């Protein structure tokens, strides 16, 4: 088997097929080669840019102007299909960072690879393990950002046992350059979770990441307490670890403000009336609506009793260090305030300054939304006039 994922595409593809057959016949013998098979999911990453293939081959999923990324697209697609099949038949298991390599394929630069990986995860693999995405979302935040110093990264890397190590080397999602690719994976994961799973994920993101930043030690805490100026003198952490921890917090706040994580709603920010309201006449439809409303109430209670206190404490820390993360934190607080204004006012009755800030931010937000609506109407009128002329 090729010793790394940059071997010739034809060699890697042929070896994958052979190893797949051997895996069925001699599972225990081939198990040690699983890390190399998993690495084929990111085969050729870091090589030169893509070229355009106009061959229109009937074997391709698309026909014209297909991009071939260094010739490794076929290796990646073969890896997705083969590994999915072996997982579904229980010949191999999710171990180490195997699941994160598979998730990274969802944001592959080649659309065919991305679609194939997404279809496999959202379809048969998720059907086989309904908690697959929910269980690994928090860990994915640390793995994708290469935040290796945090215990959650170590827990993910050692998952599955058996002493088998599947690393994340060669998968480039870290840093500012990988932000949009990470966001694509998070969006897919959240969009395929049940409301119960979203509640669980929200609790873990807030407690384990934002709450972890309030601890007295660790990279997350160091970043939150680090002043915006004089960074080199404020901490001894290497710049790589500072960037990784900062991106973990940024990704977390971005997810918490995203429409995909909303419970029982379709990306709206209004009150409970915006819940799925089509109650229907069938008993199963009514039960579903009652369930959604119950989960929404649980979500609201969780936000008020657990999330808001953590956010308020973190806000104090970020204000003291003049951290740029404060802006994102206030956006999340503002989102909660707009959704549950009366409840937030009740829970923050002893913090009038914060209430004033949230009220001001809400007025500015509504003002900007109205301006955007007016601009869109004017732009539509201009287009209509030009078309009529």
């Amino acid at each position: 088997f090729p010793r790394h994922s940059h071997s010739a595409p034809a060699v890697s593809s042929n070896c994958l097929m052979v190893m797949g057959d051997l895996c069925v016949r001699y599972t225990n013998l081939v198990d040690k080669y699983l890390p190399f098979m998993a690495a084929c999911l990111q085969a050729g990453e870091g090589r030169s840019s893509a070229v355009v293939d106009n061959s229109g081959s009937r074997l391709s999923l698309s026909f014209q102007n297909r991009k071939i990324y260094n010739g490794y697209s076929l290796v990646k697609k073969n890896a997705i299909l083969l590994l999915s099949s072996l997982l579904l038949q229980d010949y191999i298991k999710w171990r180490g960072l195997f699941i994160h390599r598979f998730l990274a394929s969802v944001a592959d630069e080649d659309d065919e690879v991305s679609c194939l990986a997404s279809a496999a995860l959202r379809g048969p693999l998720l059907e086989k393990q309904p908690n697959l995405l929910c269980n690994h979302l928090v860990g994915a935040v640390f793995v994708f950002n290469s935040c290796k110093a945090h215990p959650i990264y170590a827990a993910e890397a050692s998952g599955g046992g058996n002493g088998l190590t599947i690393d994340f080397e060669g998968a480039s999602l870290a840093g500012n350059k990988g932000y949009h690719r990470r966001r694509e994976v998070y969006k897919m994961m959240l969009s395929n979770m049940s409301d119960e799973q979203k509640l669980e994920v929200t609790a873990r993101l807030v407690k384990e990441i934002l709450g972890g930043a309030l601890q007295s030690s660790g990279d997350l805490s160091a970043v939150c307490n680090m002043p915006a100026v004089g960074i080199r003198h404020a901490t001894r952490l290497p710049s790589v670890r500072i960037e990784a921890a900062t991106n973990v917090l940024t990704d977390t706040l971005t997810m918490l403000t995203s429409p995909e994580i909303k419970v029982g709603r379709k990306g709206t920010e209004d009150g409970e009336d915006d819940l799925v309201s089509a109650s229907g006449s069938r008993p199963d439809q009514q039960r579903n609506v009652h369930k959604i409303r119950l989960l929404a109430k649980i979500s609201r209670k969780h936000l008020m009793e657990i999330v808001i206190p953590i956010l308020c404490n973190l806000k104090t820390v970020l204000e003291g260090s003049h951290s740029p993360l404060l802006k994102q934190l206030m956006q999340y607080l503002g989102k909660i305030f707009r959704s549950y204004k009366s409840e937030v006012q009740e829970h923050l009755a002893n913090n009038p300054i914060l209430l004033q800030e949230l009220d001001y931010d809400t007025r500015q937000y509504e003002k900007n939304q109205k301006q955007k609506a007016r601009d869109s109407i004017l732009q539509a009128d201009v287009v209509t006039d030009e078309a009529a002329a």
Side-chain angles (χ1 to χ4, degrees):
F1 199 83
R3 300 300 298 177
H4 51 75
S5 61
H6 291 329
S7 299
V11 175
S12 296
S13 291
N14 290 334
C15 288
L16 269 174
M17 297 301 102
V18 173
M19 295 303 293
D21 291 337
L22 291 176
C23 205
V24 174
R25 293 176 177 270
Y26 311 105
T27 305
N28 293 332
L29 295 178
V30 184
D31 207 39
K32 62 182 179 180
Y33 292 107
L34 182 57
F36 302 105
M37 297 172 70
C40 288
L41 292 167
Q42 282 75 42
E45 288 202 3
R47 291 289 182 104
S48 57
S49 59
V51 297
V52 177
D53 174 27
N54 296 312
S55 61
S57 170
R58 289 184 299 172
L59 297 178
S60 173
L61 295 178
S62 60
F63 297 100
Q64 296 296 331
N65 296 326
R66 182 167 60 96
K67 287 186 176 181
I68 302 295
Y69 286 83
N70 312 313
Y72 286 94
S73 291
L74 184 60
V75 178
K76 295 177 182 180
K77 287 184 281 189
N78 285 341
I80 292 170
L81 293 172
L82 175 63
L83 294 172
S84 297
S85 177
L86 294 174
L87 284 165
L88 291 171
Q89 298 177 76
D90 291 323
Y91 287 116
I92 58 176
K93 302 291 185 182
W94 294 114
R95 289 173 178 159
L97 303 183
F98 183 13
I99 176 61
H100 302 287
R101 281 193 172 275
F102 215 115
L103 288 168
S105 297
V106 173
D108 195 273
E109 293 178 338
D110 188 325
D111 290 341
E112 291 184 2
V113 175
S114 174
C115 290
L116 188 60
S118 180
L121 284 167
R122 291 185 290 108
L125 294 175
L126 187 59
E127 184 178 350
K128 181 178 177 62
Q129 293 180 253
N131 292 322
L132 180 64
L133 302 180
C134 174
N135 290 342
H136 292 284
L137 178 62
V138 175
V141 180
F142 290 92
V143 174
F144 291 165
N145 287 291
S146 297
C147 192
K148 300 179 180 180
H150 199 278
I152 291 180
Y153 186 103
E156 291 289 320
S158 61
N162 202 31
L164 186 66
T165 301
I166 299 181
D167 58 33
F168 201 64
E169 300 301 323
S172 54
L173 292 182
N176 294 330
K177 292 182 178 180
Y179 171 76
H180 293 291
R181 296 180 65 192
R182 297 196 304 272
R183 179 72 185 93
E184 183 178 349
V185 180
Y186 300 147
K187 183 177 180 180
M188 185 279 295
M189 296 178 76
L190 290 171
S191 298
N192 290 279
M193 291 185 191
S194 65
D195 286 334
E196 295 92 331
Q197 291 173 334
K198 291 179 181 179
L199 280 173
E200 179 184 345
V201 163
T202 300
R204 289 193 62 196
L205 287 172
V206 172
K207 289 181 180 179
E208 298 181 26
I209 299 182
L210 300 185
L214 294 172
Q215 297 177 0
S216 58
S217 61
D219 290 6
L220 299 180
S221 175
V223 166
C224 289
N225 287 278
M226 187 173 59
V229 294
I231 292 178
R232 293 184 179 179
H233 302 287
T235 179
R236 295 181 180 179
L237 287 179
S239 59
V240 175
R241 287 176 59 177
I242 293 174
E243 181 184 19
T246 301
N247 287 335
V248 165
L249 293 166
T250 300
D251 287 2
T252 300
L253 290 169
T254 299
M255 274 191 284
L256 290 170
T257 55
S258 68
E260 293 83 20
I261 206 169
K262 299 287 275 187
V263 173
R265 307 188 183 191
K266 297 183 179 180
T268 61
E269 290 186 353
D270 301 317
E272 189 171 325
D273 291 338
D274 263 336
L275 289 167
V276 179
S277 57
S279 58
S281 57
R282 295 192 327 215
D284 57 336
Q285 290 179 324
Q286 295 202 1
R287 282 196 300 269
N288 186 50
V289 171
H290 292 323
K291 177 183 177 182
I292 291 174
R293 292 186 181 277
L294 176 61
L295 289 172
K297 291 180 180 179
I298 296 174
S299 175
R300 181 191 310 174
K301 182 178 180 181
H302 171 262
L303 286 171
M304 297 305 118
E305 296 181 359
I306 299 177
V307 175
I308 290 292
I310 291 177
L311 295 180
C312 290
N313 291 332
L314 187 58
K315 177 178 178 290
T316 302
V317 174
L318 297 178
E319 283 180 332
S321 61
H322 302 286
S323 173
L325 292 168
L326 182 61
K327 180 179 179 181
Q328 274 192 295
L329 180 70
M330 289 302 296
Q331 288 175 346
Y332 183 37
L333 274 169
K335 187 179 183 71
I336 297 175
F337 183 75
R338 292 191 298 273
S339 299
Y340 310 105
K341 187 172 183 178
S342 59
E343 290 88 346
V344 174
Q345 288 176 331
E346 179 182 348
H347 280 77
L348 295 180
N350 296 326
N351 195 341
I353 296 178
L354 178 55
L355 278 176
Q356 290 176 3
E357 292 177 355
L358 292 174
D359 190 55
Y360 174 80
D361 289 345
T362 298
R363 291 197 303 271
Q364 293 297 113
Y365 174 83
E366 293 173 349
K367 180 180 178 181
N368 292 335
Q369 291 298 106
K370 291 179 180 179
Q371 184 62 45
K372 288 180 180 178
R374 286 194 295 267
D375 292 342
S376 62
I377 293 174
L378 291 174
Q379 186 176 3
D381 291 340
V382 170
V383 172
T384 303
D385 293 340
E386 290 178 352

